[in-house]
Amino acid sequence: MPLNPLDLYDIRSLLTEEECAVQDTVARFTDERVLPIIGDCFDQGRFPKELVPEIAELGLLGSSLPEQYGGHGLNAVCYGLICQELERGDSGIRSFVSVQSSLCMYPIYAYGSEEQRMRWLPGMAAGKTIGCFGLTEPHGGSDPANMKTNAKRDGDDWILNGAKMWITNGNLADIAIVWAMTDEGIQGFLVEKGMKGFTAQEVHKKMSLRASVTSALFFDAVRVPEANRLPNVKGLKGPLGCLTQARYGITWGPIGAAQACLSEALKYGNERILFNRPITSNQAVQLKLADMARRITMAQLLSLQLGRLKDAGKMQPTQVSLAKWNNCRMAIDIAREARDILGGAGITTEHCPIRHALNLESVITYEGTETVHQLVVGREVTGINAF
Ligand SMILES: Cc1cc2nc3c(=O)[nH]c(=O)nc-3n(C[C@H](O)[C@H](O)[C@H](O)COP(=O)(O)OP(=O)(O)OC[C@H]3O[C@@H](n4cnc5c(N)ncnc54)[C@H](O)[C@@H]3O)c2cc1C
């Protein structure tokens, strides 16, 4: 039996029945609903908002949360497979789900009061309330401890001032989880659309994640009630805890993007006849394709083990950093190589590699740049903080 080039080590056989079912369901959604439109969405710089009700209907928003909050109690491997299959379509669609699930629903669940959970989570799981997560600021995202956005107590309220930059879903969001410096350290606030002094401005001229909304957020003396403060966390560990959840999913996403690129390169390469034979008959092209399959296999094994560690409650942030670094680098290199194998045809969005390559420029940067994750691993192995 020939092996599946997209799964050379038969990782699929390591999945449970439930995990396989989740993967198949999301794969079908991507094939039927995302792939037919996503090239045009990317060209037009348009997030396909019309897919949100279906994404919600499939249970992909907050899928790991308990059922009373609208979730399905799925395990970490299921969440990873959701990210993988969505990003096989486009990093923008996966980013939407990552932000809603890991960066917005997770902090409300983990750090919020029961009242906040019941108020927000069911609507977010249903896709009726969209969230965004504001941590990065215009002066530099890699050093979030140097936060300028601040909240000061005023009676029973807080007064919020500052700005956030590069915020996914910013202009779509009904609610923004905003991290701000207070006299008691960094705290999270639920800032609602329409609150006086809160504005969102979409970032245009993007060459990456064009099928995703990215915004700047501005807070000009926004009055936020105490009931909208996340009561159960203080300090940088609040936002970093959310990022660990999201980054875990991001280790899986680029596997899907890379599989899409390898698949397209194989198909195109087998049909492209030059010098009287398919270009895949050339050793130089085979080396590239073999290397793609090798790197995808390693990334799959990394993420699956990471997921098993997460489900066992043993996952460490450094392990997430290593996988985020490895898998984003793997995917961006594969997307660029696949683009090359397609020759001139590779430069249009008729084929997926250039779109994935451009998207992955964001994925390798957001949620901690490649360098930041390398330094996290470096700190772990040397015991020396080089930041
Ligand atoms: C499309 C997109 C969507 C995003 N979505 C969100 C979102 O929803 N919410 C959110 O809060 N943020 C979001 N971000 C922001 C993202 O997390 C930041 O862009 C990222 O953390 C890097 O911050 P920065 O862009 O300010 O770069 P900087 O922090 O200014 O870094 C610039 C360069 O310096 C390097 N560098 C930094 N420190 C060191 C060091 N100590 N040693 C060596 N090199 C170093 C970096 O690796 C990088 O190459 C998004 C970004 C993009 C592009």
Side-chain angles (χ1 to χ4, degrees):
M1 279 285 282
L3 299 173
N4 174 358
L6 304 184
D7 185 11
L8 278 185
Y9 266 44
D10 197 11
I11 308 292
R12 172 90 175 178
S13 67
L14 300 175
L15 304 179
T16 64
E17 235 173 73
E18 181 181 52
E19 290 160 357
C20 288
V22 168
Q23 179 172 26
D24 292 345
T25 303
V26 185
R28 214 167 25 247
F29 170 75
T30 294
D31 289 338
E32 291 173 4
R33 306 292 293 135
V34 178
L35 292 178
I37 60 167
I38 199 65
D40 285 345
C41 289
F42 188 93
D43 287 346
Q44 294 156 11
R46 181 179 83 80
F47 171 69
K49 202 177 168 196
E50 66 274 17
L51 297 182
V52 172
E54 289 174 64
I55 290 172
E57 184 70 23
L58 289 173
L60 308 187
L61 303 176
S63 59
S64 309
L65 296 187
E67 288 183 9
Q68 74 255 40
Y69 304 117
H72 296 277
L74 295 183
N75 71 7
V77 172
C78 286
Y79 176 53
L81 290 162
I82 291 170
C83 291
Q84 178 181 309
E85 292 306 325
L86 289 177
E87 196 148 352
R88 190 167 59 74
D90 193 83
S91 305
I93 308 292
R94 198 270 308 140
S95 296
F96 173 82
V97 171
S98 291
V99 168
Q100 180 84 347
S101 300
S102 291
L103 295 181
C104 296
M105 296 178 73
Y106 172 79
I108 294 173
Y109 172 67
Y111 311 138
S113 63
E114 191 55 28
E115 198 190 349
Q116 289 169 341
R117 291 171 168 187
M118 290 316 295
R119 176 170 175 209
W120 296 106
L121 294 178
M124 295 181 87
K128 299 209 162 92
T129 304
I130 308 293
C132 70
F133 174 90
L135 176 65
T136 304
E137 300 194 345
H139 60 273
S142 302
D143 183 15
N146 181 25
M147 189 174 287
K148 311 275 190 244
T149 298
N150 62 79
K152 299 221 179 309
R153 265 192 187 280
D154 185 45
D156 283 344
D157 298 333
W158 294 79
I159 305 297
L160 188 67
N161 279 291
K164 298 289 177 180
M165 190 60 200
W166 305 117
I167 306 307
T168 303
N169 298 349
N171 279 76
L172 288 177
D174 304 290
I175 181 168
I177 312 276
V178 178
W179 299 94
M181 191 61 83
T182 70
D183 288 343
E184 299 154 59
I186 291 172
Q187 299 201 67
F189 296 87
L190 304 169
V191 181
E192 297 174 43
K193 187 176 182 173
M195 280 183 168
K196 194 160 172 277
F198 171 35
T199 49
Q201 193 178 318
E202 193 163 348
V203 175
H204 293 293
K205 302 190 182 178
K206 285 188 303 174
M207 298 303 289
S208 175
L209 281 194
R210 288 181 52 76
S212 168
V213 173
T214 313
S215 311
L217 308 182
F218 301 97
F219 311 96
D220 180 9
V222 181
R223 182 170 286 278
V224 182
E226 165 66 9
N228 282 31
R229 183 179 65 85
L230 293 173
N232 298 329
V233 77
K234 284 201 179 98
L236 206 50
K237 67 174 187 292
L240 294 189
C242 307
L243 290 173
T244 299
Q245 303 298 318
R247 285 167 181 163
Y248 160 74
I250 293 174
T251 74
W252 287 82
I255 297 170
Q259 287 174 321
C261 293
L262 171 54
S263 180
E264 186 122 24
L266 277 171
K267 182 170 181 296
Y268 187 90
N270 284 333
E271 288 167 2
R272 189 72 172 171
I273 310 295
L274 292 172
F275 304 100
N276 298 317
R277 58 185 189 168
I279 56 170
T280 44
S281 312
N282 295 295
Q283 288 187 354
V285 177
Q286 282 200 12
L287 285 180
K288 288 180 182 170
L289 295 167
D291 198 48
M292 291 182 197
R294 173 183 70 86
R295 294 182 71 179
I296 288 172
T297 303
M298 293 192 305
Q300 286 172 311
L301 289 167
L302 266 188
S303 281
L304 182 62
Q305 171 62 1
L306 196 61
R308 297 290 180 227
L309 287 171
K310 190 170 192 300
D311 280 327
K314 292 182 182 161
M315 183 181 83
Q316 299 284 333
T318 303
Q319 295 167 330
V320 182
S321 285
L322 189 138
K324 203 257 178 191
W325 158 26
N326 183 80
N327 293 8
C328 290
R329 171 54 58 190
M330 168 283 295
I332 199 168
D333 288 351
I334 286 175
R336 289 169 178 165
E337 286 284 18
R339 207 291 312 148
D340 174 67
I341 289 173
L342 269 64
I347 72 157
T348 79
T349 53
E350 288 293 317
H351 299 280
C352 73
I354 188 114
R355 178 169 51 79
H356 282 301
L358 289 168
N359 282 340
L360 288 159
E361 294 287 348
S362 288
V363 181
I364 203 169
T365 292
Y366 68 23
E367 304 258 354
T369 66
E370 180 176 61
T371 310
V372 162
H373 289 296
Q374 289 168 329
L375 294 177
V376 169
V377 177
R379 183 175 58 195
E380 190 76 31
V381 299
T382 63
I384 301 166
N385 185 354
F387 280 96

